[in-house]
Amino acid sequence: MRVIAGSAKGTTLKTPEGMRTRPTTDRVKEALFSILQFDLPGASVLDLFGGTGQLGIEALSRGASRAVFVDEQETACRLIRENLKKTHLEAQAQVIRGDYKRYLLSCREKFRILFLDPPYAEVFLEEAIKIAAEIDILQSGGIIATERPLGKELPGEYPGFTRSKDYKYGKTLLTFYTKQ
């Protein structure tokens, strides 16, 4: 797993042992960031299910001004910090160990982009989108970028948000919700 473009291009990121974290494939990551390329410069991003930190790190490498990473596992937070140090992007980042719901409900910061790539087998994705749509965590025109497995359905609409079409890459779907 590597950073694809930007200031940290080509840097290999550390990955965890075992199957507890499922990193986004390079193909899906390239597609995701091609779609978001014009929204990244100067953006503040939230990588809510941080894992390895690869989505937030890719955003920083491509010009995002700040990234917040949230993960409930200490091993994941440690890995994110190591990857930030390796890419020399730690000054622009904050790593928070905690539950995603608790973080969303207590956060007073507004973001331009919210990355949601939780464990596939859980209902975290649906719950995180619902909470993010209900609270004022995104700037006007802000984007919720989701990754999910083929066959996992998402609601078509949330009040105040417009849903994109689904982008299919193998067994992975990308869907975006934009705050109106």
Side-chain angles (χ1 to χ4, degrees):
M1 181 175 58
R2 63 186 171 82
V3 179
I4 297 170
S7 64
K9 179 180 180 178
T11 304
T12 302
L13 300 175
K14 291 184 175 186
T15 58
E17 294 179 19
M19 296 298 291
R20 197 159 164 89
T21 299
R22 174 200 37 79
T24 300
T25 65
D26 279 355
R27 180 175 175 226
V28 172
K29 189 164 56 168
E30 282 185 43
L32 172 66
F33 284 96
S34 288
I35 294 165
L36 294 174
Q37 66 183 323
F38 300 113
D39 297 292
L40 287 170
S44 179
V45 303
L46 172 59
D47 191 345
L48 194 58
F49 300 93
T52 62
Q54 72 164 324
L55 296 180
I57 288 171
E58 187 74 35
L60 288 171
S61 180
R62 291 174 183 239
S65 62
R66 174 172 157 68
V68 175
F69 300 85
V70 178
D71 203 291
E72 67 180 355
Q73 298 177 40
E74 180 55 40
T75 54
C77 291
R78 197 173 319 116
L79 186 61
I80 294 166
R81 286 185 197 97
E82 288 177 32
N83 283 332
L84 284 164
K85 186 173 183 176
K86 193 171 185 185
T87 56
H88 308 287
L89 296 168
E90 63 267 31
Q92 300 165 259
Q94 180 181 8
V95 180
I96 297 169
R97 180 177 182 216
D99 175 74
Y100 76 96
K101 283 186 199 176
R102 201 168 292 127
Y103 177 80
L104 284 175
L105 295 172
S106 66
C107 182
R108 299 296 170 247
E109 185 175 349
K110 288 194 181 214
F111 298 92
R112 173 81 176 134
I113 300 171
L114 168 57
F115 291 112
L116 297 178
D117 182 16
Y120 278 178
E122 305 294 338
V123 296
F124 301 151
L125 180 58
E126 298 90 330
E127 290 176 359
I129 296 170
K130 182 178 182 291
I131 293 169
E134 290 172 353
I135 62 175
D136 199 21
I137 197 166
L138 287 175
Q139 301 166 356
S140 180
I143 299 165
I144 300 173
T146 71
E147 180 181 335
R148 68 185 199 280
L150 196 62
K152 183 175 186 127
E153 296 301 319
L154 287 178
E157 293 183 24
Y158 288 95
F161 285 81
T162 303
R163 180 181 167 166
S164 74
K165 67 176 186 170
D166 289 337
Y167 298 87
K168 182 180 176 228
Y169 301 93
K171 295 181 179 180
T172 301
L173 293 171
L174 297 176
T175 303
F176 302 85
Y177 293 89
T178 305
K179 185 175 179 181
Q180 299 167 354

